[in-house]
Amino acid sequence: AIQCYLQAIDIDPSLVVLYTNAANAFARVGEHERAIEMTSHAIELDPNFEKCYYRRGCSLMALGEYTRALHDLRRVARLCP
């Protein structure tokens, strides 16, 4: 799945959902740093897409970055009250 998402990003790098889906795929195989990279780029493209912050927050938690994760998860709560 990861390779498919990366190929799709090469074709259309403006689709935010491709980055969040790739992040999810990276996180599922324990590559949380790559998941964070993907979601951070997605946030640059669309800072109001809550799934970006949720996925990044989950990966930050997996890496023990609890303060940064809390920041992202609070952002999700503000975007989706």
Side-chain angles (χ1 to χ4, degrees):
I2 291 171
Q3 288 306 317
C4 290
Y5 286 123
L6 295 178
Q7 288 174 354
I9 289 168
D10 286 340
I11 293 168
D12 190 348
S14 67
L15 289 176
V16 176
V17 70
L18 296 176
Y19 293 93
T20 59
N21 289 349
N24 186 47
F26 278 119
R28 286 179 167 263
V29 296
E31 293 188 39
H32 295 287
E33 293 87 0
R34 290 293 309 272
I36 292 167
E37 289 174 23
M38 290 283 128
T39 52
S40 295
H41 188 75
I43 289 167
E44 290 176 17
L45 293 173
D46 184 355
N48 294 313
F49 188 42
E50 70 279 348
K51 193 179 281 189
C52 304
Y53 296 98
Y54 175 76
R55 296 234 192 269
R56 188 170 72 177
C58 290
S59 284
L60 287 166
M61 282 181 45
L63 295 175
E65 300 266 351
Y66 302 117
T67 302
R68 290 178 60 203
L70 181 61
H71 175 77
D72 278 356
L73 297 174
R74 283 184 174 154
R75 179 70 186 249
V76 173
R78 283 193 303 272
L79 291 170
C80 297

